[in-house]
Amino acid sequence: MTPERLQTLWLHHEIDQRNAAYAAALDDKRYADWPEFFVPDGRYRVQARENFDRGLPLALMHFESQGMMKDRVHGITQTIYHGPYHMRHVVSPARVLEVAQEDGVEVVRAQANYAVFRTKPGSVSEVFNVGRYIDEWVRDAGILKLRSRLCVYDSELILNSLIYPI
Amino acid sequence: MTPERLQTLWLHHEIDQRNAAYAAALDDKRYADWPEFFVPDGRYRVQARENFDRGLPLALMHFESQGMMKDRVHGITQTIYHGPYHMRHVVSPARVLEVAQEDGVEVVRAQANYAVFRTKPGSVSEVFNVGRYIDEWVRDAGILKLRSRLCVYDSELILNSLIYPI
Amino acid sequence: MTPERLQTLWLHHEIDQRNAAYAAALDDKRYADWPEFFVPDGRYRVQARENFDRGLPLALMHFESQGMMKDRVHGITQTIYHGPYHMRHVVSPARVLEVAQEDGVEVVRAQANYAVFRTKPGSVSEVFNVGRYIDEWVRDAGILKLRSRLCVYDSELILNSLIYPI
């Protein structure tokens, strides 16, 4: 086994663990933990596939920094009036597409398919949002953090409105 | 690559393989194999998230030993009258949260999100039960077995009744 | 860590990556890439569980070579009139059941559970097809390719017709 292969195994392991921790934070409603998966100037977008495929910029959520994400979390937990629901993420093993050096920073480009199920009180669980994470990971004090996460979802029609991040 | 990292990779590999084998046993309807994933005094519970989050004890299924699980399997396969259905588990890569020594026993605490789809004869497949496995794994003759599996599911409302373990 | 365990880790890694790349090719509608996951005389079948369990041969799709798969791709993209839809695959980590030598060829037998979600324009995402990949992988110029992929799906009832491979 070459050192390169061991590095690859470890990197994939790290990414799958980070994806699982990210999912757990949202599913457990620990929303304050969510911005911590990003670097301070990290970017988070949720975009319909129709727009993504056509190169159109319109996105359902678009945050350009951890600060904007924290605002959103404040909105979710303190101010937005909405019917509550549970989320459950099932994320497949990630594909690592590239490990690149950019301006002295190592950037890992990875993608993973996800399915998010929603459960409203007193109701059955249903398919809520399925799509693909298109991610850029960088290291921050040794830990992989998102420089960018773009969630491209398949349905133009979101069941009611999307309140929580995906 | 440090020996610790290699150990971590191997442990995760083992757990994901065990989760996949567990899912395959149930999906293939090899119910007699199911209790074998547990140690003799293993515990299996299926609990609604509402109860789990509030620390309430009520569980939809609650078995305190392999013997009770075998009774259930007997019930499922021999005595309970129910409409048959297929199950299909999709389980995401597990998170390993802790490897602890307890009374000389190594206990691995891990969690994994799951989605179970149900298919009834002549019908389409539907979302049946989504949630999280909260597990304690121990080694029995070198093989990881469940000392405890707690399935916390999101929906209070189970489509019809839950016959088979999750 | 023994060399055998490292080999096992790497093999699992390769298979999960190939499964993820396969899913991405279909979900991204790069249908021309699909036959390339197979060896030239590779076999692809999509079969209902009812038939599979009874040992019946009837399959919804049955291709005996890359050439037949390319014909299908031509059909999908050029000639078949059908309502378009998006697919999204969520595939769980694979189980490797056997690594066998057959006539000097190394054959890896693996299985993985999958859920495919379908999204039609202007509609919500729905469970489309869930089941199990039963695979035989062989190496072709160092890369794992499918000698056989059998998709055994749980529902006899396919939502409308199945146009694209699974």
Side-chain angles (χ1 to χ4, degrees):
Chain A
M1 177 79 49
T2 61
E4 287 73 22
R5 288 194 168 180
L6 287 175
Q7 291 290 349
T8 299
L9 286 177
W10 185 254
L11 179 61
H12 276 263
H13 168 74
E14 280 185 291
I15 289 177
D16 284 340
Q17 288 297 296
R18 293 297 281 164
N19 278 341
Y22 177 104
L26 292 178
D27 293 350
D28 293 351
K29 304 184 180 176
R30 292 181 275 107
Y31 300 117
D33 292 352
W34 169 67
E36 304 302 325
F37 285 90
F38 293 80
V39 293
D41 60 344
R43 188 151 72 136
Y44 178 77
R45 285 167 295 161
V46 179
Q47 191 175 33
R49 181 172 174 152
E50 302 296 335
N51 289 341
F52 175 77
D53 287 346
R54 289 166 195 164
L56 299 174
L58 189 70
L60 201 58
M61 287 191 191
H62 188 150
F63 307 126
E64 293 281 350
S65 70
Q66 240 182 9
M68 288 177 71
M69 296 179 213
K70 287 176 182 171
D71 273 1
R72 177 68 180 194
V73 168
H74 181 79
I76 292 167
T77 53
Q78 306 295 331
T79 68
I80 302 174
Y81 181 79
H82 63 273
Y85 58 86
H86 301 312
M87 283 197 296
R88 183 66 46 194
H89 288 66
V90 179
V91 182
S92 45
R95 300 167 70 203
V96 173
L97 299 174
E98 191 187 20
V99 181
Q101 294 292 331
E102 296 181 8
D103 306 323
V105 176
E106 188 183 82
V107 180
V108 181
R109 292 198 165 75
Q111 299 190 7
N113 277 359
Y114 67 80
V116 180
F117 303 90
R118 179 181 72 172
T119 309
K120 291 200 281 191
S123 186
V124 296
S125 301
E126 56 194 339
V127 180
F128 181 51
N129 192 284
V130 302
R132 174 169 44 135
Y133 289 132
I134 301 176
D135 297 330
E136 294 177 11
W137 297 92
V138 293
R139 276 189 201 281
D140 185 5
I143 294 171
L144 285 177
K145 298 226 171 182
L146 290 159
R147 188 170 80 169
S148 173
R149 166 157 283 186
L150 168 58
C151 313
V152 177
Y153 60 92
D154 287 348
S155 176
E156 300 152 71
L157 196 77
I158 296 284
L159 293 174
N160 299 350
S161 56
L162 186 80
I163 305 291
Y164 312 115
I166 289 290
Chain B
M1 177 80 48
T2 62
E4 287 73 23
R5 287 195 169 180
L6 286 174
Q7 291 289 351
T8 299
L9 285 177
W10 186 254
L11 180 61
H12 276 264
H13 168 73
E14 279 185 291
I15 289 176
D16 284 341
Q17 288 298 297
R18 293 296 281 163
N19 278 340
Y22 177 103
L26 292 178
D27 294 350
D28 293 351
K29 304 184 181 176
R30 292 181 276 106
Y31 299 118
D33 291 352
W34 170 66
E36 304 301 325
F37 286 91
F38 294 81
V39 293
D41 60 343
R43 188 151 73 137
Y44 178 77
R45 285 167 295 161
V46 179
Q47 192 176 34
R49 182 172 174 153
E50 302 296 334
N51 289 340
F52 176 78
D53 286 348
R54 288 166 195 165
L56 299 175
L58 190 69
L60 200 60
M61 287 191 192
H62 188 148
F63 307 126
E64 292 282 350
S65 70
Q66 239 182 10
M68 289 177 70
M69 295 179 213
K70 287 177 182 171
D71 274 0
R72 176 67 180 194
V73 169
H74 180 78
I76 292 166
T77 53
Q78 305 295 330
T79 68
I80 302 175
Y81 181 80
H82 63 274
Y85 57 85
H86 301 312
M87 285 196 296
R88 184 64 47 194
H89 288 66
V90 179
V91 181
S92 44
R95 301 168 70 204
V96 174
L97 299 175
E98 191 187 19
V99 181
Q101 293 292 331
E102 296 181 6
D103 305 323
V105 176
E106 188 183 83
V107 180
V108 182
R109 292 199 165 73
Q111 298 190 7
N113 277 358
Y114 67 80
V116 180
F117 302 90
R118 181 181 71 173
T119 309
K120 291 201 283 192
S123 186
V124 296
S125 300
E126 56 194 339
V127 180
F128 180 50
N129 191 283
V130 302
R132 173 170 45 135
Y133 290 131
I134 301 177
D135 297 331
E136 295 177 12
W137 296 93
V138 292
R139 276 188 201 281
D140 185 4
I143 294 171
L144 285 177
K145 298 226 171 181
L146 289 160
R147 187 170 80 169
S148 173
R149 165 156 284 185
L150 169 58
C151 313
V152 177
Y153 61 91
D154 288 348
S155 176
E156 300 151 72
L157 197 77
I158 296 283
L159 292 175
N160 300 349
S161 56
L162 186 79
I163 305 291
Y164 312 115
I166 290 290
Chain C
M1 178 78 50
T2 61
E4 288 72 24
R5 288 195 167 180
L6 287 175
Q7 291 290 350
T8 299
L9 286 176
W10 185 255
L11 179 61
H12 276 264
H13 169 74
E14 279 185 291
I15 289 177
D16 285 340
Q17 288 298 297
R18 292 297 281 164
N19 278 340
Y22 177 104
L26 292 178
D27 294 350
D28 293 351
K29 303 183 182 177
R30 292 180 276 107
Y31 299 118
D33 292 352
W34 170 67
E36 304 301 326
F37 286 91
F38 294 81
V39 293
D41 60 345
R43 188 150 74 137
Y44 178 77
R45 285 167 295 161
V46 180
Q47 191 176 34
R49 181 172 175 154
E50 302 295 335
N51 289 341
F52 176 77
D53 287 347
R54 290 167 195 165
L56 300 174
L58 190 70
L60 201 59
M61 287 192 191
H62 189 149
F63 306 127
E64 292 281 351
S65 70
Q66 239 183 11
M68 289 177 71
M69 296 179 213
K70 287 177 181 171
D71 274 359
R72 176 68 179 193
V73 168
H74 180 78
I76 293 166
T77 53
Q78 305 295 332
T79 68
I80 302 175
Y81 182 80
H82 63 274
Y85 58 85
H86 301 312
M87 283 197 296
R88 183 65 48 195
H89 288 65
V90 179
V91 182
S92 44
R95 300 167 71 204
V96 173
L97 298 175
E98 191 188 20
V99 181
Q101 294 292 331
E102 297 180 7
D103 305 323
V105 176
E106 187 182 83
V107 180
V108 182
R109 292 198 165 74
Q111 298 190 7
N113 277 359
Y114 66 80
V116 180
F117 302 90
R118 180 181 70 172
T119 308
K120 292 200 282 191
S123 186
V124 296
S125 301
E126 56 194 339
V127 180
F128 180 51
N129 191 283
V130 302
R132 174 169 45 135
Y133 290 132
I134 301 177
D135 297 330
E136 295 177 12
W137 296 92
V138 292
R139 276 189 202 282
D140 185 4
I143 294 171
L144 285 177
K145 298 227 171 180
L146 289 160
R147 187 170 80 168
S148 174
R149 166 157 284 186
L150 168 57
C151 314
V152 177
Y153 60 93
D154 287 348
S155 177
E156 300 151 70
L157 197 77
I158 295 285
L159 292 174
N160 299 350
S161 55
L162 187 80
I163 304 293
Y164 311 116
I166 291 290

Short mmCIF file of all heavy atoms in Angstrom, two decimals, chain C residues 91-111:
data_model
loop_
_atom_site.label_atom_id
_atom_site.label_comp_id
_atom_site.label_asym_id
_atom_site.label_seq_id
_atom_site.Cartn_x
_atom_site.Cartn_y
_atom_site.Cartn_z
N VAL C 91 -26.82 5.51 -2.48
CA VAL C 91 -26.32 4.13 -2.41
C VAL C 91 -25.57 3.95 -1.10
O VAL C 91 -24.73 4.78 -0.74
CB VAL C 91 -25.38 3.83 -3.60
CG1 VAL C 91 -24.89 2.39 -3.56
CG2 VAL C 91 -26.07 4.15 -4.93
N SER C 92 -25.88 2.90 -0.38
CA SER C 92 -25.18 2.69 0.90
C SER C 92 -23.81 2.05 0.66
O SER C 92 -23.54 1.54 -0.42
CB SER C 92 -26.03 1.86 1.85
OG SER C 92 -26.61 0.78 1.21
N PRO C 93 -22.94 2.12 1.66
CA PRO C 93 -21.63 1.49 1.51
C PRO C 93 -21.80 0.02 1.11
O PRO C 93 -22.67 -0.67 1.63
CB PRO C 93 -21.01 1.62 2.92
CG PRO C 93 -21.69 2.81 3.52
CD PRO C 93 -23.09 2.77 2.98
N ALA C 94 -20.98 -0.43 0.17
CA ALA C 94 -21.13 -1.78 -0.37
C ALA C 94 -20.64 -2.84 0.61
O ALA C 94 -19.79 -2.57 1.47
CB ALA C 94 -20.34 -1.91 -1.67
N ARG C 95 -21.21 -4.01 0.50
CA ARG C 95 -20.68 -5.20 1.17
C ARG C 95 -19.86 -5.96 0.14
O ARG C 95 -20.36 -6.25 -0.95
CB ARG C 95 -21.80 -6.13 1.61
CG ARG C 95 -22.79 -5.53 2.56
CD ARG C 95 -24.01 -6.42 2.67
NE ARG C 95 -23.69 -7.65 3.39
CZ ARG C 95 -24.37 -8.79 3.26
NH1 ARG C 95 -25.39 -8.87 2.41
NH2 ARG C 95 -24.03 -9.84 3.94
N VAL C 96 -18.64 -6.32 0.49
CA VAL C 96 -17.86 -7.20 -0.37
C VAL C 96 -18.02 -8.60 0.18
O VAL C 96 -17.66 -8.88 1.33
CB VAL C 96 -16.38 -6.78 -0.41
CG1 VAL C 96 -15.56 -7.81 -1.19
CG2 VAL C 96 -16.24 -5.41 -1.05
N LEU C 97 -18.60 -9.48 -0.63
CA LEU C 97 -18.94 -10.82 -0.14
C LEU C 97 -17.88 -11.85 -0.49
O LEU C 97 -17.72 -12.85 0.19
CB LEU C 97 -20.29 -11.24 -0.72
CG LEU C 97 -21.45 -10.33 -0.30
CD1 LEU C 97 -22.73 -10.73 -1.00
CD2 LEU C 97 -21.64 -10.36 1.21
N GLU C 98 -17.14 -11.60 -1.57
CA GLU C 98 -16.17 -12.60 -2.01
C GLU C 98 -15.18 -11.98 -2.98
O GLU C 98 -15.54 -11.13 -3.79
CB GLU C 98 -16.92 -13.75 -2.72
CG GLU C 98 -16.06 -14.97 -2.98
CD GLU C 98 -16.78 -16.02 -3.85
OE1 GLU C 98 -17.76 -15.65 -4.54
OE2 GLU C 98 -16.33 -17.16 -3.85
N VAL C 99 -13.93 -12.40 -2.86
CA VAL C 99 -12.92 -12.09 -3.88
C VAL C 99 -12.42 -13.44 -4.36
O VAL C 99 -11.77 -14.16 -3.62
CB VAL C 99 -11.77 -11.24 -3.31
CG1 VAL C 99 -10.75 -10.93 -4.41
CG2 VAL C 99 -12.29 -9.96 -2.68
N ALA C 100 -12.77 -13.80 -5.60
CA ALA C 100 -12.50 -15.15 -6.10
C ALA C 100 -11.61 -15.10 -7.33
O ALA C 100 -11.61 -14.11 -8.08
CB ALA C 100 -13.81 -15.84 -6.44
N GLN C 101 -10.82 -16.13 -7.52
CA GLN C 101 -10.06 -16.31 -8.76
C GLN C 101 -10.84 -17.25 -9.66
O GLN C 101 -11.14 -18.37 -9.26
CB GLN C 101 -8.68 -16.92 -8.45
CG GLN C 101 -7.75 -16.03 -7.64
CD GLN C 101 -7.29 -14.79 -8.41
OE1 GLN C 101 -7.20 -14.81 -9.64
NE2 GLN C 101 -7.02 -13.72 -7.67
N GLU C 102 -11.17 -16.79 -10.85
CA GLU C 102 -11.90 -17.64 -11.79
C GLU C 102 -11.21 -17.58 -13.14
O GLU C 102 -11.19 -16.53 -13.79
CB GLU C 102 -13.35 -17.16 -11.92
CG GLU C 102 -14.12 -17.28 -10.61
CD GLU C 102 -15.57 -16.82 -10.74
OE1 GLU C 102 -16.02 -16.54 -11.86
OE2 GLU C 102 -16.24 -16.74 -9.68
N ASP C 103 -10.61 -18.70 -13.55
CA ASP C 103 -9.88 -18.75 -14.83
C ASP C 103 -8.83 -17.65 -14.89
O ASP C 103 -8.70 -16.96 -15.93
CB ASP C 103 -10.86 -18.61 -16.01
CG ASP C 103 -11.97 -19.65 -15.95
OD1 ASP C 103 -11.70 -20.79 -15.55
OD2 ASP C 103 -13.12 -19.30 -16.29
N GLY C 104 -8.12 -17.47 -13.79
CA GLY C 104 -7.05 -16.47 -13.78
C GLY C 104 -7.52 -15.04 -13.65
O GLY C 104 -6.72 -14.10 -13.69
N VAL C 105 -8.83 -14.85 -13.50
CA VAL C 105 -9.39 -13.50 -13.36
C VAL C 105 -9.87 -13.31 -11.92
O VAL C 105 -10.53 -14.20 -11.36
CB VAL C 105 -10.57 -13.28 -14.33
CG1 VAL C 105 -11.21 -11.91 -14.12
CG2 VAL C 105 -10.10 -13.44 -15.77
N GLU C 106 -9.55 -12.17 -11.34
CA GLU C 106 -10.03 -11.87 -10.00
C GLU C 106 -11.42 -11.26 -10.10
O GLU C 106 -11.60 -10.22 -10.75
CB GLU C 106 -9.09 -10.91 -9.29
CG GLU C 106 -9.43 -10.69 -7.83
CD GLU C 106 -8.51 -9.68 -7.18
OE1 GLU C 106 -8.76 -8.47 -7.32
OE2 GLU C 106 -7.53 -10.11 -6.55
N VAL C 107 -12.38 -11.90 -9.46
CA VAL C 107 -13.77 -11.42 -9.50
C VAL C 107 -14.18 -11.02 -8.08
O VAL C 107 -14.06 -11.81 -7.15
CB VAL C 107 -14.73 -12.52 -10.01
CG1 VAL C 107 -16.16 -12.01 -10.05
CG2 VAL C 107 -14.29 -13.02 -11.38
N VAL C 108 -14.65 -9.80 -7.95
CA VAL C 108 -15.10 -9.31 -6.65
C VAL C 108 -16.62 -9.29 -6.65
O VAL C 108 -17.23 -8.62 -7.49
CB VAL C 108 -14.56 -7.89 -6.37
CG1 VAL C 108 -15.00 -7.41 -4.99
CG2 VAL C 108 -13.05 -7.85 -6.49
N ARG C 109 -17.21 -10.04 -5.73
CA ARG C 109 -18.68 -10.06 -5.63
C ARG C 109 -19.09 -9.11 -4.51
O ARG C 109 -18.65 -9.26 -3.37
CB ARG C 109 -19.18 -11.47 -5.35
CG ARG C 109 -18.96 -12.38 -6.53
CD ARG C 109 -19.79 -13.65 -6.50
NE ARG C 109 -19.77 -14.24 -7.83
CZ ARG C 109 -18.71 -14.89 -8.35
NH1 ARG C 109 -17.62 -15.04 -7.63
NH2 ARG C 109 -18.75 -15.35 -9.59
N ALA C 110 -19.90 -8.15 -4.86
CA ALA C 110 -20.30 -7.13 -3.89
C ALA C 110 -21.78 -6.80 -4.07
O ALA C 110 -22.36 -7.05 -5.13
CB ALA C 110 -19.46 -5.87 -4.08
N GLN C 111 -22.37 -6.29 -3.01
CA GLN C 111 -23.77 -5.86 -3.08
C GLN C 111 -23.90 -4.50 -2.38
O GLN C 111 -23.14 -4.19 -1.47
CB GLN C 111 -24.68 -6.87 -2.37
CG GLN C 111 -24.64 -8.25 -3.03
CD GLN C 111 -25.71 -9.19 -2.51
OE1 GLN C 111 -26.58 -8.80 -1.74
NE2 GLN C 111 -25.65 -10.45 -2.95
#
